Amino acid sequence: MKLCIAEKPSVAKDIAEIIGAKTRRDGYYEGNGYAVTWTFGHLCTLKEPHDYKESWKYWRLEDLPIIPPNFGVKIINDNGVQKQFGTIKNLVAQCDEVINCGDAGQEGELIQRWVLLKAKCKVPIKRLWISSLTEEAIREGFLKLKDSKQYDNLYAAGSARAIGDWMLGINATRLFTVKFGRRQ
C-alpha cells in the first residue's frame, strides 16, 4: 500500500477521490492500493524547555540563554492530535511507500517531516509538489513524484527557522519578563 499524507482533511479528500481511495475510514481513506490521511496542520512541535531539564520549567535569569544540546520534537498534547497521529503511525507501519502530500513550501515540508520522524518511517518517501488542487494538477503531480531527498535542504531551512524562532522566543520572552515584568 502507498500512504499519502496531506496537510488538511479537505486536501486528503480531494486527493483520495482522484486516486481512487474512496472508502472512508476513521482518520483516512483507502482504496486502489492507497491510504490517504492528513495532519490538519501541526501535529508536532519542538520540545519545550522543561522537556529537556526540569529546572528550565522556572523562569530564572541564571538559566539564560536556554540552549538544548540537541533539539527534539514532540507530538502536541491534544486528544484529537494524538488520535490522528496514532492513525498515521499505524498506517506508516503498514505501508510500502509514503507520498508526502503536504503543502508545497518550507512549512509544509517541515510539518510532514516531523510527523514522519515521530512515526519512525523506514520506507521510501516520495514528494507530491503541486500548487493547485485541480484534478489535472493532482493527476500530473502524481505522474511527477520526486524522491523526498530532493527536498532535504527545504526541510533543513524550515527546521533552522523553527529552532531560531524557538531560541529567540523562549530566551527573549523570559529575559524581558524576568527583568521588566511586574511582580505582584
Side-chain angles (χ1 to χ4, degrees):
M1 158 192 66
K2 293 180 181 183
L3 172 62
C4 300
I5 307 175
E7 202 163 312
K8 305 176 223 17
S10 61
V11 175
K13 184 178 180 184
D14 291 344
I15 290 170
E17 184 67 30
I18 291 165
I19 64 174
K22 298 183 181 204
T23 303
R24 178 76 158 96
R25 303 283 185 214
D26 188 16
Y28 67 102
Y29 297 90
E30 72 177 352
N32 198 29
Y34 290 93
V36 182
T37 190
W38 55 86
T39 63
F40 47 80
H42 291 270
L43 295 185
C44 301
T45 188
L46 288 172
K47 289 183 177 179
E48 297 171 56
H50 65 271
D51 293 322
Y52 300 102
K53 274 187 180 177
E54 181 64 26
S55 63
W56 285 351
K57 186 177 193 175
Y58 307 100
W59 293 35
R60 300 183 305 217
L61 283 178
E62 58 268 20
D63 289 332
L64 299 178
I66 294 174
I67 304 173
N70 294 300
F71 282 84
V73 175
K74 67 180 185 177
I75 307 300
I76 292 172
N77 188 17
D78 171 271
N79 290 339
V81 166
Q82 298 279 333
K83 181 180 180 198
Q84 187 62 20
F85 176 75
T87 298
I88 293 168
K89 187 174 181 179
N90 288 336
L91 291 168
V92 165
Q94 298 171 40
C95 74
D96 303 310
E97 177 181 274
V98 168
I99 301 171
N100 174 350
C101 302
D103 290 353
Q106 193 179 88
E107 193 70 11
E109 193 66 23
L110 182 68
I111 288 168
Q112 297 289 327
R113 295 281 188 110
W114 280 356
V115 167
L116 292 169
L117 172 77
K118 295 306 290 179
K120 297 182 169 79
C121 181
K122 304 284 187 226
V123 299
I125 304 168
K126 299 286 187 192
R127 185 62 158 103
L128 175 69
W129 193 269
I130 56 176
S131 56
S132 168
L133 290 174
T134 65
E135 181 175 345
E136 180 183 342
I138 292 170
R139 286 192 191 285
E140 186 176 321
F142 269 87
L143 293 173
K144 296 179 178 180
L145 294 174
K146 302 226 190 284
D147 189 294
S148 181
K149 288 179 178 38
Q150 292 184 16
Y151 299 91
D152 284 353
N153 286 341
L154 190 64
Y155 167 62
S159 185
R161 185 215 31 87
I163 289 168
D165 288 352
W166 186 99
M167 287 182 56
L168 180 62
I170 294 294
N171 289 295
T173 299
R174 288 184 181 204
L175 176 64
F176 186 83
T177 302
V178 171
K179 286 194 83 147
F180 303 111
R182 283 193 192 144
R183 299 191 195 259
Q184 307 225 355

